[in-house]
Amino acid sequence: MAKTIAFPLNARVASMAATAREMTAAQSEALTEQQSLFEELLGFLEKNAKECLKEATLPQVEFRMDPADLKDLLLHADAWLGNHQRNFTFRAANDETEYRLILNLRSQENDEEEHSSYLMNATLFSVTDGRVQIFDYQAKQWEEDRELQKYWDYIETGEAEAEYLKGLADFFEVGLYFQSYSDALANLRENRALVRLYRMLGGLGRFEFVANGAGDLLVLLVPADPRRPGSAVQCIGEQYALCQYFSGKKAESTIPSWLADIFATEEEEKGHLPGAILGVCAERSVKKMVQCLQLWWDHYTPMTVYTIPISTRAAVQTETPWEEPTVVTIPEGRELTVDEQQSLFRLCQFLNKKN
């Protein structure tokens, strides 16, 4: 027979037990609400997907939502209680043709109603042996689109141009499918020099798209390693502009947003600075810019280390630049030039605003 031992429950243990029960109840309630909203949204998407497919003359093929989109809908269903939008892709294929139906779902808050209202756009296209056709829902027929074909050809290459266009599509939440392909390709042409630099860096950089206060789109090349923030390159005309760059983004929680209020797990990102982009210098030679970026970006560190350039041959490298900025020069230990001193002074002025 098992031995039973009785002991008094002190106040601290009792309090912890009560908190645990409350947390479990709150989590269960949040999960129920999340599941209900997820089913509502999924039903809305599937119903409209079937209606969109009925209008097109298609063979008997089964469309399924992308697993990544389905997972995102489940984990972040509560985001749709406010103003939110995202693309959801349904795919199907037979022996000859691949089909994609992209539904752009948007929610809008309504002060008079308890729930948000949902709006949707749909784009349906097919790919047969690399030939792309799009379904015109007004004309009720399949048509070729030269700009869509060019876009698809770039995407299928999997090269630098494809990465650029995918990043551009991710930046615009509504997706390029619901904007002008001509504008997307024109934007790519305008930034050919930056795409070339990306290709020559061989995986050390990634594209970042930023909307400035004037509503313009800034296209930057930043370190691929998120642990090396502090710098970016921008193309201005025929020149590469080396910049001190701080995205202003905080660390994202690793748990679903609907649990954030229950478990306070988010911590302030170490080394977080307000968003800013400060020009340092310009360089016409792509080879010289590659050499510069290899100096600052081609290093692995287990923790976040800011690498903030003050020229192509000098930078501040430190975990906490606002506390103890350390200047590294090439060659090591040389005196800073007048331009480097001015760039360092402007940087220190910016860092002082943090405190």
Side-chain angles (χ1 to χ4, degrees), residues 36-284:
S36 176
L37 184 56
F38 166 73
E39 292 175 354
E40 176 186 338
L41 290 166
L42 183 59
F44 180 82
L45 287 166
E46 290 181 338
K47 175 185 176 182
N48 283 276
K50 291 179 181 179
E51 292 178 355
C52 292
L53 294 171
K54 284 182 181 178
E55 298 185 41
T57 304
L58 292 177
Q60 294 298 318
V61 290
E62 183 179 3
F63 279 77
R64 292 183 177 273
M65 185 187 292
D66 278 359
D69 293 346
L70 190 63
K71 179 181 178 181
D72 182 86
L73 184 66
L74 175 61
L75 295 181
H76 305 289
D78 61 329
W80 297 91
L81 295 175
N83 292 317
H84 194 59
Q85 58 184 340
R86 193 185 191 281
N87 284 343
F88 294 93
T89 301
F90 290 78
R91 300 174 187 264
N94 55 26
D95 294 338
E96 299 178 350
T97 305
E98 175 189 356
Y99 298 94
R100 294 189 190 183
L101 173 66
I102 299 97
L103 301 183
N104 172 239
L105 184 65
R106 307 188 304 281
S107 65
Q108 294 182 347
E109 289 181 320
N110 192 329
D111 295 335
E112 298 179 357
E113 298 180 7
E114 185 177 349
H115 298 290
S116 299
S117 58
Y118 304 122
L119 305 173
M120 197 195 70
N121 286 330
T123 297
L124 175 63
F125 65 88
S126 65
V127 184
T128 306
D129 294 330
R131 177 169 164 263
V132 183
Q133 288 188 309
I134 191 168
F135 186 74
D136 187 330
Y137 278 99
Q138 292 184 339
K140 306 298 181 184
Q141 63 184 15
W142 290 91
E143 297 179 347
E144 294 187 358
D145 187 313
R146 293 180 60 186
E147 299 301 329
L148 173 59
Q149 184 69 58
K150 290 179 183 179
Y151 177 84
W152 178 263
D153 291 341
Y154 275 127
I155 292 295
E156 286 298 282
T157 64
E159 296 180 354
E161 288 81 2
E163 293 302 315
Y164 184 93
L165 290 173
K166 288 177 182 177
L168 190 62
D170 289 341
F171 175 77
F172 289 108
E173 292 179 316
V174 295
L176 289 175
Y177 300 106
F178 307 105
Q179 305 210 5
S180 168
Y181 291 101
S182 299
D183 290 344
L185 296 173
N187 185 277
L188 172 64
R189 288 191 294 269
E190 290 174 3
N191 289 279
R192 283 286 191 189
L194 203 62
V195 173
R196 181 187 180 195
L197 178 60
Y198 169 88
R199 183 185 295 109
M200 293 179 68
L201 283 171
L204 290 180
R206 64 175 177 84
F207 297 111
E208 183 152 314
F209 302 86
V210 182
N212 65 10
D216 297 325
L217 177 64
L218 301 181
V219 184
L220 308 173
L221 200 61
V222 300
D225 188 347
R227 291 179 293 262
R228 303 202 67 84
S231 62
V233 177
Q234 181 182 12
C235 276
I236 301 177
E238 299 297 324
Q239 294 185 324
Y240 295 98
L242 182 63
C243 305
Q244 299 165 352
Y245 174 60
F246 311 98
S247 67
K249 299 177 182 178
K250 294 185 179 180
E252 295 184 359
S253 174
T254 56
I255 63 173
S257 55
W258 54 278
L259 286 176
D261 293 337
I262 302 173
F263 301 105
T265 60
E266 290 193 43
E267 297 180 358
E268 184 177 356
E269 181 184 1
K270 185 177 181 182
H272 172 67
L273 285 166
I277 181 167
L278 311 171
V280 174
C281 60
E283 177 60 63
R284 285 186 174 273

